[in-house]
Amino acid sequence: MNIELQDIYTQAILSMAALVGLTSFLMLGQSRLLRLIFVFAFQGLLLTMTTMVAAYSTDNQHLYISAVLTLALKVVFIPWMLRREVLKMNLHRDIQALSNQTTLMLGGASLMVFSYYVLHPIVQTTSPVMLNALAVSLSVVLLGMLLMISHRQAIAHVVGFMSIENGLFFAAIVATNGMPMVVELGVAFDVLVAAVLFGIFFFHIRTSIDSLDVDLLNRLHEVDEQGARHDKNRSAVINPHTADYEVNR
Amino acid sequence: MIAAYLVLVIPFLGIILFALSGHKTDTGRINIRLNAVTLLATLWLAVNVLDAGTLLSANKAILVDSFNVYLIVLTAFVGLTTSIFSSPYMAHEKELGKLTDQRLKLYYSMYQGFMLAMYLVLTTNNMGVMWVAMEGATLATVLLVSLYRTPESIEAAWKYFILCGVGIAQALFGTILLYYAAAQLGDIGDDALLWSVLYQQAANLNPEILKIAFVFLLIGYGTKIGLVPLHNWLPDAHSEGPTPMSAILSGLLLNDALYAVVRNKMLVDGATHSPIAGHLMMGFGLLSFLVGALFLHRQKDIKRLFSYSSIEHMGLMTFAFGIGGPMATFAALLHMTVHSLTKSAIFVTVGHAAQVAGTQNMSKIRGLIKTQPRIGWGLLIGTIAIAGFPPFGVFTSEFLVLLATMHSYPWLTLPLLLGIGIAFAGLFRHIQPMVYGDKPEGQMPVKANLLPVMIHLGLVLWLGLAIPGFLANWFSQATLLISGSTPL
């Protein structure tokens, strides 16, 4: 595939795919929550732009609506909500030490290669451009999961969750010029409700364990030893962050 | 067609009604009535489908055929009986001071919200809307899992939310790939996600893309079915949420997620002409079946025990749909019905048993038959039914699955039999000391309505002794639709 031979729309989509993939990696290596949220908002902006480009080039009216919805939800509302939460919990000074960043990045890179490998069979039937776009969206989904595994703050989990949603949205825009309107509206509604529920959950988690560190949510186990674990948890709750972070640093 | 719309409109009105009116003493009774009216609407719908065959609405948004119509009736039925149970149960929980009016308002409106999501999953013809409704069901129930606001329940709800949310995102990716494959066929535009269109065009869809799509769809909806290794949310959500929630999650949500997988499998089978989708389902199903059976032995909490039993049975159904022949499909359809009826009956009984003993810890629940015979016997009979004893319906369906396995994959009969044996032992080692024996001091009977349990178990018994003609006919038609031929 020679990129100069493609039309301008395809070139734009490919650059957007590259940028979206890049933002996922940036999020993965981010140890400060406010920056993480900023990068997430930026990814949302890239999505909005992709949608606008697709809407313009295919002259598809309903994609403009999706673009506005994405802008409102993923660039404004969700980042604003998360940022407010971070400031309220005073988490913006914390640096969450990621235990082995190199491994994490290598893991992320291999996930990207894996996405190309998984989707390679479809290259026989479609253009290589489509393969790139779909593989990048799948890797954004997988990188979002990796982000959730590697970070311990509930806020980072929400960012991971929403960035998975971004990856899916990108796939829908690029591969099929958007899903049918009713489905897009439904998905946007689900995302909105999910965001509101996350807000409610932050409140509940905070009141119950006095922290947003999900590692402290560890009461439910397969094995018994209930009593022992509860005692351990109690001591952990008294000292939610400091001790752990010292060790990791 | 009006019936199909009614089925969707009534729960929707229910949400608004409960959200606006707030909790009053008779909210529970109104909930029962709403569910009863919906059940009537679904019966009307069923009669229509029985007369006229497959119904497709004019705008092609709703499709009701022999496969989903009986699931719709089942959903409405379990929804009704669970609401009959839930009314006094929730009132009792409120007396104990565990719940406030505000939370009960949330509970009742989300009960209807969950029912709406379930009906939408079942009736919609659009695979994208199916996904949206499935996610909607998670969103509706997630706050109900944390209804008691204990640290454990909040943890369970968080886990449920994150795992199911991330899991089901995979299904959306699968759906996008499906749409992508359909869009390649040319100019079908917005119809490209309609199941009825896709099913006609299945042979022309690109098999490579559909194979990849099915993996994502199975993982995604499989999270909701509770397939191992994606099952972690299930025991937590079932054990920490209020018991009526556990009953409808186990009885309805898992079934409907499996329904979504099977709908997709029908498309993939049509496109690939290879058993790959079936083999994937068999693998995941068998693994879930065995792991679920083994984990039964290690449980301490009575609701966790039965949620592992659900994982085991869902695994068996997934396995049976995976085999895919007419007999296996028939057995899986029957098993969906009897499992759903039996399991929701058991959760109802378990809820009362836990109220009697004041705990869900099995080592503290003792002497149920002596304290309150009806609950004790209900639990014992329910367990016998779910363990697959004759003459109950679960026996019939498990026996048919075994026969089908012997026919198609003889060497898989051994792990199946082994799993059934292990599960049986796992259930009875826990249940026996709970129902027999002396009652602990101070254990008092509670006000319990066991009518739903008796109706459910009675139906399961009936299905085990003789499947009524119209139902057998339905199952056969559905089997014909799914597997391409009839069982008998």
Side-chain angles (χ1 to χ4, degrees):
Chain A
M1 177 181 66
N2 194 340
I3 192 147
E4 285 126 37
L5 299 180
Q6 307 290 337
D7 58 46
I8 196 140
Y9 167 69
T10 318
Q11 289 189 22
I13 293 291
L14 280 176
S15 333
M16 286 298 178
L19 284 172
V20 169
L22 179 69
T23 45
S24 267
F25 274 100
L26 280 179
M27 282 196 264
L28 191 60
Q30 206 49 259
S31 49
R32 283 178 190 272
L33 283 175
L34 283 185
R35 264 191 231 156
L36 182 68
I37 295 168
F38 178 75
V39 180
F40 169 73
F42 187 66
Q43 192 178 47
L45 192 64
L46 286 175
L47 274 182
T48 315
M49 281 155 64
T50 317
T51 321
M52 296 291 257
V53 170
Y56 180 73
S57 79
T58 56
D59 203 18
N60 190 337
Q61 295 303 320
H62 91 243
L63 279 181
Y64 285 113
I65 304 177
S66 317
V68 173
L69 278 177
T70 317
L71 187 71
L73 270 175
K74 291 192 176 139
V75 186
V76 180
F77 176 66
I78 296 173
W80 167 78
M81 185 193 87
L82 292 174
R83 192 187 140 85
R84 201 187 56 157
E85 200 66 31
V86 170
L87 295 179
K88 205 193 290 170
M89 281 300 282
N90 226 2
L91 290 170
H92 55 290
R93 287 180 214 292
D94 275 352
I95 298 177
Q96 190 195 15
L98 298 167
S99 44
N100 31 21
Q101 210 152 0
T102 327
T103 330
L104 199 59
M105 281 301 168
L106 282 176
S110 24
L111 281 181
M112 194 143 199
V113 176
F114 175 73
S115 327
Y116 271 90
Y117 171 74
V118 167
L119 290 169
H120 199 260
I122 70 166
V123 83
Q124 297 152 358
T125 55
T126 59
S127 65
V129 181
M130 212 48 94
L131 171 70
N132 273 308
L134 279 176
V136 166
S137 0
L138 179 57
S139 56
V140 170
V141 171
L142 295 177
L143 289 172
M145 289 188 196
L146 192 60
L147 175 76
M148 293 169 94
I149 297 168
S150 56
H151 288 63
R152 295 185 307 182
Q153 292 291 350
I155 298 202
H157 281 214
V158 176
V159 172
F161 186 94
M162 291 298 171
S163 108
I164 290 176
E165 203 75 32
N166 280 352
L168 295 170
F169 189 77
F170 189 75
I173 293 295
V174 177
T176 59
N177 286 324
M179 309 276 266
M181 196 60 209
V182 53
V183 180
E184 292 234 344
L185 286 178
V187 173
F189 175 73
D190 278 352
V191 170
L192 176 66
V193 176
V196 172
L197 283 182
F198 274 125
I200 300 175
F201 258 99
F202 286 148
F203 175 71
H204 289 330
I205 295 179
R206 222 165 45 210
T207 44
S208 93
I209 61 170
D210 194 28
S211 158
L212 282 179
D213 187 338
V214 285
D215 272 10
L216 299 178
L217 291 175
N218 58 357
R219 287 172 182 233
L220 298 167
H221 281 274
E222 268 341 302
V223 205
D224 25 336
E225 311 161 47
Q226 285 281 326
R229 284 194 194 276
H230 277 233
D231 289 346
K232 208 177 93 195
N233 284 347
R234 223 160 279 140
S235 63
V237 169
I238 295 166
N239 202 347
H241 306 291
T242 45
D244 274 348
Y245 286 123
E246 292 297 340
V247 174
N248 283 339
R249 233 174 260 165
Chain B
M1 210 63 248
I2 308 163
Y5 287 114
L6 268 183
V7 168
L8 294 173
V9 168
I10 298 170
F12 183 71
L13 293 179
I15 305 176
I16 296 173
L17 175 72
F18 290 140
L20 290 183
S21 71
H23 185 72
K24 302 198 183 70
T25 41
D26 59 347
T27 307
R29 249 171 296 158
I30 297 175
N31 191 32
I32 297 175
R33 272 174 217 153
L34 275 175
N35 281 297
V37 176
T38 323
L39 179 64
L40 288 179
T42 62
L43 286 174
W44 183 21
L45 180 67
V47 172
N48 279 347
V49 174
L50 203 62
D51 284 346
T54 303
L55 282 183
L56 184 64
S57 69
N59 55 3
K60 295 190 189 161
I62 289 177
L63 170 85
V64 185
D65 60 18
S66 44
F67 179 25
N68 57 9
V69 72
Y70 90 95
L71 281 172
I72 297 172
V73 177
L74 183 69
T75 301
F77 182 71
V78 175
L80 171 64
T81 46
T82 309
S83 69
I84 295 175
F85 154 66
S86 109
S87 178
Y89 181 88
M90 294 317 263
H92 185 85
E93 296 288 279
K94 194 187 161 201
E95 277 167 30
L96 292 177
K98 287 185 182 173
L99 294 170
T100 57
D101 274 351
Q102 194 64 28
R103 290 191 205 157
L104 280 172
K105 176 175 123 183
L106 177 77
Y107 169 80
Y108 282 113
S109 50
M110 283 304 114
Y111 191 102
Q112 291 296 330
F114 174 78
M115 295 310 288
L116 173 66
M118 290 290 93
Y119 293 127
L120 197 56
V121 169
L122 290 172
T123 50
T124 182
N125 187 22
N126 186 320
M127 303 310 278
V129 174
M130 187 187 276
W131 183 88
V132 170
M134 202 48 116
E135 172 82 353
T138 315
L139 298 174
T141 42
V142 73
L143 283 183
L144 295 190
V145 171
S146 65
L147 198 67
Y148 293 127
R149 302 280 190 273
T150 59
E152 285 84 2
S153 70
I154 288 172
E155 179 186 339
W158 178 259
K159 224 173 179 177
Y160 173 51
F161 196 5
I162 292 286
L163 269 172
C164 280
V166 172
I168 209 151
Q170 313 304 308
L172 183 57
F173 194 73
T175 311
I176 292 171
L177 285 177
L178 191 67
Y179 186 57
Y180 175 55
Q184 285 185 337
L185 291 181
D187 199 27
I188 33 180
D190 279 4
D191 286 352
L193 268 180
L194 297 185
W195 190 85
S196 52
V197 175
L198 286 168
Y199 188 62
Q200 278 168 2
Q201 298 279 343
N204 305 327
L205 294 172
N206 182 335
E208 291 300 331
I209 300 179
L210 254 68
K211 271 182 209 168
I212 301 173
F214 186 72
V215 174
F216 283 99
L217 288 163
L218 180 63
I219 300 282
Y221 291 126
T223 314
K224 285 240 140 145
I225 305 177
L227 293 181
V228 175
L230 311 157
H231 66 285
N232 280 27
W233 64 271
L234 196 146
D236 293 346
H238 280 59
S239 65
E240 298 306 323
T243 307
M245 238 20 258
S246 321
I248 51 176
L249 281 182
S250 231
L252 303 178
L253 181 71
L254 309 185
N255 264 358
D256 290 4
L258 185 59
Y259 162 81
V261 171
V262 175
R263 277 271 186 225
N264 283 299
K265 176 177 181 278
M266 290 158 77
L267 299 177
V268 177
D269 281 349
T272 60
H273 300 293
S274 72
I276 178 155
H279 285 171
L280 275 171
M281 286 176 77
M282 281 170 65
F284 271 105
L286 195 61
L287 182 69
S288 315
F289 177 66
L290 292 175
V291 170
L294 282 170
F295 267 100
L296 285 176
H297 287 262
R298 304 196 57 175
Q299 299 312 312
K300 302 279 163 195
D301 181 304
I302 187 164
K303 277 159 85 181
R304 286 186 87 88
L305 177 79
F306 284 109
S307 53
Y308 272 100
S309 159
S310 290
I311 294 177
E312 177 220 334
H313 284 279
M314 293 318 290
L316 189 68
M317 286 172 226
T318 313
F319 175 80
F321 275 122
I323 294 177
M327 197 195 300
T329 308
F330 186 91
L333 291 170
L334 179 62
H335 201 78
M336 266 172 127
T337 316
V338 288
H339 171 257
S340 168
L341 290 172
T342 319
K343 194 48 70 65
S344 40
I346 287 180
F347 271 114
V348 169
T349 331
V350 162
H352 288 311
Q355 279 185 338
V356 167
T359 172
Q360 285 173 212
N361 187 338
M362 286 192 282
S363 56
K364 302 228 173 70
I365 305 177
R366 287 291 177 263
L368 283 177
I369 288 183
K370 285 211 173 142
T371 316
Q372 197 164 357
R374 277 193 300 168
I375 292 178
W377 283 112
L379 188 59
L380 187 63
I381 295 170
T383 312
I384 287 174
I386 203 75
F389 266 89
F392 289 98
V394 182
F395 170 77
T396 320
S397 54
E398 284 188 349
F399 188 70
L400 284 172
V401 174
L402 272 176
L403 277 184
T405 315
M406 268 186 232
H407 189 71
S408 318
Y409 302 90
W411 46 281
L412 283 179
T413 323
L414 192 68
L416 273 189
L417 278 174
L418 201 68
I420 292 175
I422 293 172
F424 166 72
L427 284 172
F428 270 84
R429 68 184 278 186
H430 293 303
I431 294 300
Q432 197 171 345
M434 280 196 281
V435 293
Y436 294 116
D438 283 330
K439 67 171 180 181
E441 269 177 49
Q443 187 162 297
M444 296 297 285
V446 293
K447 199 176 139 207
N449 184 353
L450 283 182
L451 187 69
V453 178
M454 286 180 223
I455 297 174
H456 279 206
L457 292 178
L459 281 175
V460 173
L461 183 64
W462 186 20
L463 284 174
L465 294 172
I467 301 176
F470 70 95
L471 201 59
N473 188 23
W474 242 339
F475 284 151
S476 300
Q477 278 178 23
T479 309
L480 180 67
L481 187 72
I482 297 167
S483 71
S485 50
T486 47
L488 302 173

